[in-house]
Amino acid sequence: MNHRAARCMLGLAAFTLAAGSAGAQNITAPPAPVPAGIGVETVKVHGASLEGNLEGNSADRNVVVILPPGYARNKAKRYPVVYFLHGFAIDGQNFANYLHVPEAVAHNGAKGAEFIVVVPDTLTKLGGSMYSSSVTTGDFRRFIAKDLVSYIDSHYRTVARREGRGLAGHSMGGYGTWMVGMRYAPVFSSIYAMSACCVSPRTETLESAQKMAAVPIDQGVKADFGMRAGLSSAVAWAPNPNNPPYYVDFPVKNGAIDPLVLARWATNSPLANVASHVGDLRSFKAIGADVGDKDGLLADDTAIHDELTKFGIRHDWAVYPGNHVSGIAQRFDEVVLPFFARNLATK
């Protein structure tokens, strides 16, 4: 694994350690307090975009919907929606617990900024969808931007147009924010990436690529955190329906690194995509990104900040004191939701 990939895995592992579970176990977090007046619903959303995936991930996804204080009282009012994407090896419910989303919605509602916050579950067999489009894992980018948005707009009183939708996420979810945002810019008006992982094109050494390719399928789900993340990235970015049991092309062929597979991986790098999506990025009303000064992802997240700056793409950027998970619940409450309060339409 190269130095950039190592930083990515270190950043993800920091979240694992902070939240409690590692290895084959997925992260859990205690139930979040629900302030009076806040509605919390868990619904099942069918994703046509996920049907028939070769990994066997369910096309029916749990989605946590947090409703603001005024939702039950003001029956005629519509609300902007913030879609929040969770990180690797954790599901949507546990991430919403970890971020204390109901409290953040209540705090902002008390200041007059009311949102519906939607946290979908994209946990997969190996630990994470990477918010990618893959016949192996399913098209999770389209699921978020099309299936999920359509469901929420048809079942809740939303501001059902681009100006009323925001997209955000942390770590793998920050990565998803960049990639879903760039490919489905007409769906969302504003995006915010918190400590995004996997920003630079990932590469492998021959030794690390051979090690990945040698993991038996029954051991893949039990591998350590870094290997699971590597396998999840591989099946998301270089799927091959004719190569079971993982249905993937690993980046090694005939005893050497396969440059075509690395090229496929690079097409899934947010940093590599900026230059070809300048128009999409400029179309957003607002873009935000941040990272901790002790986060292993600092260099990569700074790189995409520099790339946006190079192309004259306006964005908010912050490096704050802390590691990969320092105060992210507080930042969601005090930075991210106020960012959307300034930029999303309320009617």
Side-chain angles (χ1 to χ4, degrees):
M1 184 180 299
N2 78 333
H3 66 287
R4 286 174 176 158
R7 284 201 301 270
C8 175
M9 295 305 105
L10 285 170
L12 292 169
F15 189 22
T16 305
L17 296 172
S21 295
Q25 302 302 312
N26 291 313
I27 300 163
T28 60
V34 180
I38 297 296
V40 178
E41 301 180 359
T42 300
V43 298
K44 190 81 73 173
V45 177
H46 180 75
S49 305
L50 307 178
E51 292 176 355
N53 71 83
L54 301 173
E55 201 170 70
N57 298 311
S58 176
D60 297 310
R61 313 303 299 189
N62 287 332
V63 177
V64 182
V65 181
I66 299 92
L67 303 171
Y71 192 88
R73 298 192 308 270
N74 302 324
K75 300 295 186 181
K77 184 174 173 59
R78 292 185 171 271
Y79 296 86
V81 183
V82 175
Y83 292 86
F84 199 91
L85 308 182
H86 65 77
F88 186 77
I90 188 170
D91 61 28
Q93 179 65 71
N94 279 293
F95 201 88
N97 291 346
Y98 190 77
L99 277 191
H100 287 241
V101 175
E103 290 177 286
V105 170
H107 293 162
N108 281 268
K111 300 172 186 175
E114 292 196 306
F115 309 89
I116 298 171
V117 176
V118 176
V119 187
D121 171 25
T122 70
L123 195 67
T124 60
K125 179 179 180 180
L126 289 170
S129 68
M130 303 307 297
Y131 299 100
S132 296
S133 301
S134 166
V135 297
T136 299
T137 57
D139 190 344
F140 278 90
R141 289 177 190 157
R142 185 172 179 84
F143 169 73
I144 297 297
K146 296 297 184 181
D147 300 334
L148 180 60
V149 168
S150 177
Y151 180 95
I152 296 299
D153 281 347
S154 63
H155 287 75
Y156 294 92
R157 298 194 313 275
T158 67
V159 178
R161 64 185 195 278
R162 185 192 193 201
E163 292 78 6
R165 301 190 197 103
L167 180 67
H170 176 264
S171 195
M172 183 184 74
Y175 166 86
T177 298
W178 288 123
M179 296 304 290
V180 175
M182 281 190 269
R183 280 165 169 70
Y184 290 95
V187 178
F188 307 97
S189 74
S190 303
I191 62 173
Y192 198 108
M194 303 177 72
S195 305
C197 84
C198 316
V199 167
S200 297
R202 177 174 172 163
T203 61
E204 297 285 341
T205 66
L206 179 58
E207 180 183 8
S208 65
Q210 290 173 328
K211 183 177 180 181
M212 180 188 295
V215 177
I217 186 67
D218 62 331
Q219 295 299 309
V221 295
K222 302 174 184 177
D224 62 38
F225 186 91
M227 181 58 76
R228 289 178 73 200
L231 289 168
S232 293
S233 299
V235 299
W237 299 340
N240 181 347
N242 298 316
N243 193 26
Y246 281 105
Y247 298 101
V248 66
D249 283 330
F250 287 113
V252 58
K253 185 176 182 180
N254 299 324
I257 291 293
D258 187 340
L260 178 58
V261 173
L262 294 189
R264 292 175 187 166
W265 288 9
T267 65
N268 287 277
S269 155
L271 183 61
N273 272 266
V274 169
S276 58
H277 288 81
V278 170
D280 295 312
L281 289 160
R282 286 180 176 163
S283 76
F284 289 118
K285 182 177 181 183
I287 297 172
D290 65 23
V291 68
D293 62 358
K294 298 177 180 62
D295 193 332
L297 303 175
L298 174 61
D300 271 10
D301 285 341
T302 301
I304 199 167
H305 156 65
D306 291 341
E307 189 78 349
L308 295 172
T309 301
K310 180 173 74 177
F311 285 100
I313 297 166
R314 293 181 299 106
H315 62 289
D316 294 350
W317 165 247
V319 177
Y320 58 87
N323 60 31
H324 193 57
V325 293
S326 294
I328 60 171
Q330 182 179 4
R331 289 191 65 79
F332 176 71
D333 185 344
E334 299 178 1
V335 177
V336 177
L337 286 185
F339 166 87
F340 287 115
R342 294 191 300 271
N343 292 299
L344 295 186
T346 58
K347 59 183 179 180

